[in-house]
Amino acid sequence: MSKDAAVKISVSRIRTWLECPYKHHVTYTLGWRPTAVPSEAMAFGLAWHSAVERWWLTGEARVPSGEPHQTAALRRTLTRYVERRQEERGARIAELPFEAELEGMAFVGRIDLLLQRGGRWWVVEHKTTSEDVTPGAIWWQTLGLDYQPAIYMLAARAMGHDPAGMIYDVLGKPGIRPRRGESVDDYGARFAAAATLATREVCVGGDRLQAALDNVGEIVDNLSCRAQNPAACFRFGRCSMVDHCHYGADLGPPQFTRGEERCLKK
């Protein structure tokens, strides 16, 4: 596929293609999206992002209502988060959508936060993960090849900002479950105490920035590939495409719904 400004590229779209080209074809070319309820991990991540976004925008520390144990864990962890980040609530622009043409490619997305730190603007990306995010962990090393900092920094520049780099604002979720007889509040407190709140500044420029864009260009040129990737079917739980790919289920209701292509956040 040649680069086409009519083809909207997002970080989510790139990651979907890298995970499984066929899933990308169904999702972005055919427009089918699963109707299944989000997994527990995804629901937690969406709720955390919503709560953090609200706090940066309004200063209100409140989490969405949901499963009681998850809500208690989120509420207690958000309290810790606010205590650590309160002094940084200076100049900021939260939830900034963008459409930018970079290197002949049309990128769309939404920057979580532009934050002023040390006299410079930084692009901030909120993330949750169950991986180890302590200093020196492998998870941080994988960020060195992430395309998101390059795309978001260039998008910010296209909107008139000059960010110094990207700050990953990460919640590392502990692998703990409620104990028998444990109250909801006690579980929330135990979860928050075991959670890891970490940040990492990533600066992308020069050869590294160009290399990232070159790699994205290679992906865009191959978006028409529809190959299935069996290794991805159960890599992160059960893929929403399993019934279709493995058992011949039709693409359609009730498992899938069709709508206009949208830019997915996570």
Side-chain angles (χ1 to χ4, degrees):
M1 174 184 290
S2 60
K3 296 179 181 63
D4 182 350
V7 178
K8 305 298 184 182
I9 307 300
S10 67
V11 171
S12 295
R13 181 168 189 171
I14 291 171
R15 288 174 177 163
T16 300
W17 187 87
L18 290 171
E19 177 189 347
C20 178
Y22 184 72
K23 182 177 181 179
H24 167 272
H25 170 68
V26 170
T27 303
Y28 290 94
T29 303
L30 301 182
W32 289 108
R33 300 185 183 277
T35 56
V37 175
S39 66
E40 180 180 345
M42 182 176 290
F44 184 97
L46 291 172
W48 175 254
H49 186 275
S50 175
V52 170
E53 172 192 342
R54 178 184 288 111
W55 180 74
W56 282 104
L57 279 171
T58 68
E60 180 185 10
R62 182 166 61 88
V63 302
S65 59
E67 193 279 324
H69 288 89
Q70 175 178 282
T71 301
L74 286 164
R75 185 175 62 252
R76 291 279 195 157
T77 306
L78 183 62
T79 298
R80 278 190 60 203
Y81 179 89
V82 170
E83 290 172 352
R84 292 194 174 197
R85 302 287 190 268
Q86 185 66 54
E87 294 183 358
E88 293 190 89
R89 286 192 80 249
R92 64 197 181 278
I93 306 172
E95 289 297 305
L96 186 65
F98 67 81
E99 290 193 22
E101 186 170 329
L102 310 169
E103 299 285 320
M105 296 174 282
F107 288 93
V108 294
R110 185 180 297 272
I111 294 173
D112 285 345
L113 178 70
L114 276 175
L115 179 68
Q116 204 167 56
R117 173 189 281 187
R120 294 293 306 276
W121 286 98
W122 291 79
V123 175
V124 180
E125 173 70 9
H126 306 305
K127 288 190 176 295
T128 61
T129 180
S130 297
E131 302 291 329
D132 178 15
V133 293
T134 55
I138 293 176
W139 191 85
W140 293 111
Q141 298 177 31
T142 64
L143 297 182
L145 295 176
D146 192 3
Y147 303 117
Q148 190 168 3
I151 294 172
Y152 279 28
M153 284 182 62
L154 288 173
R157 289 175 185 172
M159 291 185 287
H161 304 283
D162 184 24
M166 173 175 276
I167 298 174
Y168 284 96
D169 185 23
V170 182
L171 165 59
K173 299 182 296 180
I176 61 175
R177 309 294 296 179
R179 294 168 177 164
R180 178 176 296 181
E182 184 177 36
S183 71
V184 169
D185 287 340
D186 285 347
Y187 169 72
R190 187 164 61 90
F191 181 100
T196 302
L197 297 174
T199 59
R200 178 70 60 88
E201 295 178 356
V202 176
C203 297
V204 181
D207 292 343
R208 183 177 173 188
L209 182 61
Q210 189 58 52
L213 287 175
D214 288 345
N215 284 339
V216 171
E218 292 282 348
I219 293 171
V220 172
D221 285 341
N222 288 280
L223 287 180
S224 59
C225 174
R226 305 177 185 180
Q228 292 174 308
N229 178 18
C233 295
F234 299 97
R235 182 183 298 168
F236 304 108
R238 191 177 191 272
C239 175
S240 59
M241 300 290 298
V242 165
D243 286 343
H244 170 67
C245 294
H246 287 258
Y247 308 113
D250 291 337
L251 288 172
Q255 288 102 332
F256 295 89
T257 184
R258 188 176 233 160
E260 293 185 5
E261 180 177 324
R262 65 185 188 277
C263 176
L264 297 179
K265 180 67 184 71
K266 300 290 179 190

